[in-house]
Amino acid sequence: MSFLDGFLERKIVVKIVSILLAILLWYIVLDIKDPFEEATLTVPLQTNVNILDSKGLELVGNNIPDNVEITVSGRKSRLEKVFKNDFYISADFLQIEDEHTSYISIGAPKYKGTEGIIIKGVNPEKINIRLEKVVTDSFEIMPEIVGELPENYSIHQIKVRPEILELKDIKSSIDSIDRIVAEVDLSKVKDYSYVSPRMVFYNKEGKAVSGIDINQAIIVELVMAKNVAVNLNTSGQVAEGYYVNDIQHNPEYINVIGEMQVLNKLYTINTNPVDLQGLKDDVKLQSDFQLPENIKLANLQEKETISVDIEPFVTKRFTYSVDKISIYNADQENYTYKIKSTTLSGDATGRLEDVNLFIINPRIKAWINVNNLIEGTHKVDVNTASQNTDIEVVTENSVEVIVEEIRNDDENHSLDNINTNLNTNPTPNPKPNTGSSSGTNPKPSTNPNPSPSISPKPSPNPSPSISQKPSPNPSPSISPKPNINPSTSSDPDATPESNSGTSINTMKDESGEIWSI
């Protein structure tokens, strides 16, 4: 005890103990006024993930946090002066070797401030990651059209630029692609020349695959074709005595390509003129097309094929009854007229089918002129004209006409004879050729004032009627129709008559037609 008592009684010891007690008291006071505390700061995490490109790797899924938590401790007054920007913390991807790496460690934070603090920890200390190898592969782009085109239009050609698309992506994405489609929705297209398509990636199950990035522009070029009618263009005329029975050309429609603004106004294409001059036999010809500027054939080798059927005109003999003969310029007050013949004949020329129909039912206008004939038997020429403009009629017939004078004592007897021999089926006086091959005769009606424009008065000495021959060179697109128009004159005082071997009487209907009865 003596040693301890002696030691404590020393001045130096007393001083040291006093200092220690003062420090202790100071810390006690400090802990009360400025206690020691902990704090958690959210600090941005720095990464160099782009370094994976040089390693041929890519991070699958973005599970790298933007921030991490740092726990620090220190006096309250000091912690109040510490901020998140005072720290630097990073995840270094240089430590990754291959795609099999499953996590990355977060490095120790660095404090850039001056306050006396203690860094106690980081949360999280590591990050779980998934890596995949990046691969490159090439795919052909297939165009696909959705929607309807305008009427008569079609797609002649479709091109995708580029035709081959090179994709660089993670291996699982590349392996999932089976085909790539450039989809063009026509309902959304205004300019059919160049279209920006919607790119769709399909897997082997035919389902669309998402998440594929394209780093280049894809353009679809459309070449439009329009279907237009072909107009056959001919020149020249076939040989005399022949006609074009039929003409066929093939194709009747062709596809042409060009600018849309030109195609929109184009409806027909003409052939080059096809020369038919002097042809007598059936022929098959070819012709090119007359194409407008900036218009081309969809098929550059296409030509128009023309088949021409050429037939000769035929001539056949026909007969007709004298009932069809009308009598002009008869003096009914002083004479009666009788025709002794019963049938007459002539030649009909035209197309075979028309001639055959004509022979069955000759649609012919026939008349005689009895002007200035006195009592007796006279040989009078018969004038004729076909009412069928497709037929040429040639006759050289004449008939014997018996003219008898009406005497006063026989007047009543003659009137009775006329009345008892009225023709119940009168033959009308057909109108001169009107350009139509068919028609119906008007019903007869009495008219004391015959129309001079309807009752033609031939010359006193008519010659046998020879109708016009068919045009030797008819237009190939129109069947030849001989234009037969007999030259007649009108006489308002003339009284036409018709005779079937008996006395003659006539009447005129409301339209001016002469009917023989």
Side-chain angles (χ1 to χ4, degrees), residues 327-337 370-373 403-404 406 495 497:
I327 298 177
Y328 290 85
N329 300 317
D331 184 1
Q332 296 185 85
E333 293 182 359
N334 300 309
Y335 296 98
T336 61
Y337 302 85
V370 296
N371 185 41
N372 296 327
L373 293 185
V403 183
E404 294 183 354
I406 299 175
T495 307
E497 299 185 19

Side-chain angles (χ1 to χ4, degrees), residues 454-509:
I454 300 298
S455 302
K457 180 180 179 182
S459 61
N461 299 306
S463 60
S465 172
I466 301 177
S467 307
Q468 286 184 334
K469 292 185 179 180
S471 173
N473 298 306
S475 170
S477 60
I478 302 175
S479 300
K481 295 184 178 182
N483 183 13
I484 304 172
N485 248 328
S487 174
T488 60
S489 62
S490 301
D491 184 354
D493 298 324
T495 307
E497 299 185 19
S498 178
N499 196 329
S500 59
T502 63
S503 298
I504 304 299
N505 199 354
T506 61
M507 63 174 61
K508 181 178 292 186
D509 64 15

Side-chain angles (χ1 to χ4, degrees), residues 66 110 116 181 185 187 193 295 319 341 359 374 416 429 452 485:
D66 294 329
K110 296 178 180 178
V181 170
D185 188 348
S187 64
S193 300
I295 294 296
T319 60
S341 305
I359 290 173
I374 61 175
D416 292 339
N429 175 21
N485 248 328

Side-chain angles (χ1 to χ4, degrees), residues 130-149:
R130 179 186 164 200
L131 298 171
E132 274 200 48
K133 196 170 185 179
V134 175
V135 296
T136 301
D137 202 352
S138 298
F139 298 86
E140 181 181 2
I141 303 176
M142 304 300 296
E144 187 173 286
I145 303 300
V146 177
E148 297 293 331
L149 286 168

Side-chain angles (χ1 to χ4, degrees), residues 216-509:
Q216 64 184 111
I218 308 297
I219 296 296
V220 175
E221 180 181 354
L222 298 176
V223 179
M224 305 300 296
K226 186 176 182 181
N227 191 245
V228 297
V230 176
N231 182 42
L232 180 61
N233 189 10
T234 61
S235 65
Q237 298 183 356
V238 297
E240 184 176 359
Y242 293 82
Y243 67 95
V244 176
N245 183 51
D246 188 29
I247 186 166
Q248 300 288 336
H249 62 98
N250 184 60
E252 295 181 353
Y253 293 85
I254 58 170
N255 285 328
V256 292
I257 59 177
E259 298 178 358
M260 284 295 295
Q261 59 266 33
V262 180
L263 292 177
N264 287 338
K265 299 177 182 179
L266 186 64
Y267 300 96
T268 59
I269 292 291
N270 293 327
T271 64
N272 288 333
V274 178
D275 188 11
L276 304 180
Q277 185 65 38
L279 296 180
K280 296 182 179 180
D281 300 313
D282 297 348
V283 293
K284 182 172 285 188
L285 306 169
Q286 282 193 331
S287 174
D288 292 320
F289 302 94
Q290 296 177 350
L291 298 175
E293 188 177 359
N294 298 325
I295 294 296
K296 297 179 181 179
L297 293 175
N299 178 5
L300 297 177
Q301 306 302 319
E302 190 166 21
K303 292 182 180 293
E304 190 74 2
T305 300
I306 302 99
S307 300
V308 186
D309 178 16
I310 300 176
E311 300 288 344
F313 287 115
V314 297
T315 300
K316 288 190 177 183
R317 198 75 174 166
F318 71 95
T319 60
Y320 64 97
S321 171
V322 294
D323 290 342
K324 293 183 177 290
I325 299 177
S326 295
I327 298 177
Y328 290 85
N329 300 317
D331 184 1
Q332 296 185 85
E333 293 182 359
N334 300 309
Y335 296 98
T336 61
Y337 302 85
K338 298 178 183 179
I339 298 176
K340 293 181 62 176
S341 305
T342 57
T343 60
L344 299 172
S345 62
D347 291 329
T349 300
R351 298 185 303 178
L352 179 61
E353 59 271 23
D354 293 334
V355 171
N356 288 338
L357 290 174
F358 183 84
I359 290 173
I360 295 173
N361 179 25
R363 294 180 55 80
I364 189 172
K365 174 182 177 181
W367 71 93
I368 60 174
N369 184 6
V370 296
N371 185 41
N372 296 327
L373 293 185
I374 61 175
E375 186 174 24
T377 301
H378 303 271
K379 189 174 182 180
V380 182
D381 291 330
V382 179
N383 297 279
T384 57
S386 171
Q387 291 180 280
N388 185 344
T389 56
D390 292 331
I391 298 296
E392 172 204 351
V393 172
V394 177
T395 61
E396 297 180 357
N397 291 313
S398 61
V399 293
E400 287 190 348
V401 180
I402 301 174
V403 183
E404 294 183 354
E405 185 179 358
I406 299 175
R407 294 174 176 79
N408 292 334
D409 56 350
D410 294 334
E411 183 175 355
N412 293 332
H413 173 74
S414 297
L415 291 175
D416 292 339
N417 184 48
I418 292 174
N419 291 331
T420 57
N421 288 281
L422 288 177
N423 187 348
T424 59
N425 251 329
T427 300
N429 175 21
K431 294 179 181 180
N433 176 33
T434 61
S436 172
S437 61
S438 61
T440 56
N441 295 322
K443 293 183 179 180
S445 64
T446 59
N447 188 341
N449 299 311
S451 171
S453 62
I454 300 298
S455 302
K457 180 180 179 182
S459 61
N461 299 306
S463 60
S465 172
I466 301 177
S467 307
Q468 286 184 334
K469 292 185 179 180
S471 173
N473 298 306
S475 170
S477 60
I478 302 175
S479 300
K481 295 184 178 182
N483 183 13
I484 304 172
N485 248 328
S487 174
T488 60
S489 62
S490 301
D491 184 354
D493 298 324
T495 307
E497 299 185 19
S498 178
N499 196 329
S500 59
T502 63
S503 298
I504 304 299
N505 199 354
T506 61
M507 63 174 61
K508 181 178 292 186
D509 64 15

